[in-house]
Amino acid sequence: MNVTCNVIKDILPLYLENMLSDDSTEMVEKHLEHCQECKNYLEELKTFHQVPVDTNISPLLKIKSSIRKKNILTAILAMMIAIMLIVITIAFLTAPKYIPYSERSVTLNEAENGWILVKFENTVSGYDIDQYPTEDNSGYVYHITTWNNTWNKMIKKSKVNYTVLNPNGENVVSVYYYQADGSEDILMYGKDINQGGGIITLPRMFLSYYLLAAIVCTVVCGGVMIIWHRHKKVFRFTLMIFYLSVSYLLSHLIVKGFTTSSYSATRDFFAIVLVLIPMYVAFLTVLHLFRKYKAKNQ
Ligand SMILES: [Zn+2]
């Protein structure tokens, strides 16, 4: 009996794979009917057999994870576009509209302690004050402007009421109002330090330098990619920078149009960067999806 058991055990793997002749199969089955030991051995073999079956579904898992990755990328893309639209909307609603000078919009009052109080009309939702010392250091010159925006007009009325020009007791020599349109500043208080010469508060220009840098960067990257298009690493790296500068150009165009000078340049730059970030991520996501699509169709 023992010899037969060993013989049976030897051919059980073949039996499991249905590779035995009918006679041998019959012999094995007959033996299994009354031999518990061989039955146990067969069970063991069966559990062993399931391991290679497991590895067979790995391509399926791969496809599944690739689909999941694509879904995640698509979700990221949709999210970035949504964020971009929200930021653009907010940027437009909060873009300052400078208010031309009128005696009612801003009034100055001297307090007993020497403070100069600036009082704003209801329509004012924000202001800018520049301060610089006079040439003889006898005091300070101030330039004020006020603005409003659609957000404050339509959505949330937040108005500023007043501010103190010289909270530390500075000597106020003169106060000018500038209308942020290139016209001459209007003397509101104190003496005219330019005696009829006329002062114009100019917009800030640094956005135009940034824009120029982005244009140069785009052109240079474009050139590098054309020349080294066969060099995969160089090409891919340059493409990242290319996308970044193109994102900056587009963001500037969206926020500022073709204008490069601004009286609220810092705020505008901030808005441009907030549009740029989701736009850049969206570009990279599209690039990723495109590469996946290409790889699949090769
Ligand atoms: Zn047996």
Side-chain angles (χ1 to χ4, degrees):
M1 224 29 174
N2 254 342
V3 177
T4 325
C5 264
N6 283 335
V7 172
I8 294 294
K9 278 176 184 169
D10 281 344
I11 60 168
L12 269 181
L14 293 175
Y15 168 76
L16 251 183
E17 302 273 12
N18 283 325
M19 283 167 86
L20 292 180
S21 64
D22 289 351
D23 291 350
S24 309
T25 305
E26 209 186 304
M27 179 190 78
V28 170
E29 279 169 356
K30 263 198 179 140
H31 177 88
L32 285 173
E33 270 171 25
H34 57 82
C35 176
Q36 191 57 43
E37 198 193 323
C38 286
K39 250 187 190 170
N40 292 345
Y41 187 73
L42 179 68
E43 288 307 308
E44 261 175 58
L45 276 183
K46 272 184 184 167
T47 48
F48 253 106
H49 252 87
Q50 276 161 10
V51 179
V53 172
D54 265 347
T55 57
N56 278 342
I57 63 163
S58 71
L60 265 173
L61 284 176
K62 235 182 195 168
I63 291 167
K64 215 175 149 189
S65 97
S66 150
I67 289 172
R68 195 181 297 151
K69 227 177 194 174
K70 214 177 115 194
N71 286 344
I72 291 171
L73 284 174
T74 313
I76 290 174
L77 183 63
M79 207 163 71
M80 289 304 130
I81 291 172
I83 292 174
M84 221 164 71
L85 290 178
I86 291 168
V87 172
I88 290 167
T89 309
I90 292 175
F92 269 99
L93 290 176
T94 59
K97 289 186 187 126
Y98 291 95
I99 301 170
Y101 179 72
S102 84
E103 276 169 23
R104 272 181 304 114
S105 65
V106 189
T107 47
L108 301 177
N109 290 297
E110 265 177 82
E112 275 179 20
N113 61 356
W115 277 0
I116 305 283
L117 292 174
V118 190
K119 212 171 162 295
F120 300 104
E121 203 190 28
N122 282 347
T123 51
V124 173
S125 57
Y127 60 87
D128 287 317
I129 297 178
D130 295 329
Q131 173 194 15
Y132 58 89
T134 55
E135 273 175 31
D136 58 2
N137 274 319
S138 61
Y140 289 90
V141 178
Y142 296 84
H143 289 260
I144 301 179
T145 194
T146 56
W147 43 265
N148 204 333
N149 57 38
T150 316
W151 180 280
N152 281 288
K153 268 187 204 157
M154 297 175 67
I155 298 163
K156 190 177 149 279
K157 280 211 188 305
S158 79
K159 51 191 185 205
V160 287
N161 289 321
Y162 71 91
T163 184
V164 177
L165 214 52
N166 53 345
N168 301 312
E170 297 96 331
N171 180 32
V172 178
V173 176
S174 43
V175 181
Y176 290 91
Y177 189 92
Y178 67 97
Q179 313 197 70
D181 59 0
S183 62
E184 267 184 33
D185 296 1
I186 297 150
L187 183 69
M188 293 176 68
Y189 175 91
K191 62 168 187 178
D192 192 352
I193 51 161
N194 265 41
Q195 265 116 32
I199 307 170
I200 298 170
T201 300
L202 293 170
R204 300 188 66 187
M205 296 302 293
F206 69 82
L207 286 180
S208 58
Y209 308 135
Y210 291 0
L211 194 69
L212 192 68
I215 292 171
V216 170
C217 190
T218 308
V219 172
V220 169
C221 285
V224 168
M225 286 191 297
I226 290 168
I227 296 166
W228 279 288
H229 67 279
R230 280 176 200 284
H231 202 299
K232 230 177 184 176
K233 260 189 186 163
V234 175
F235 184 86
R236 285 196 172 188
F237 180 74
T238 317
L239 190 63
M240 299 281 135
I241 305 169
F242 179 78
Y243 275 149
L244 193 62
S245 46
V246 167
S247 299
Y248 186 88
L249 289 179
L250 290 176
S251 302
H252 180 105
L253 210 64
I254 290 168
V255 175
K256 289 299 291 173
F258 291 101
T259 323
T260 54
S261 64
S262 175
Y263 282 93
S264 53
T266 310
R267 177 254 169 215
D268 293 344
F269 179 66
F270 190 60
I272 290 170
V273 171
L274 283 183
V275 175
L276 178 150
I277 294 168
M279 188 189 283
Y280 186 54
V281 176
F283 264 139
L284 295 186
T285 314
V286 169
L287 183 71
H288 240 82
L289 278 171
F290 178 72
R291 278 192 185 143
K292 272 197 167 309
Y293 178 79
K294 235 173 102 182
K296 213 178 98 187
N297 286 301
Q298 254 169 13

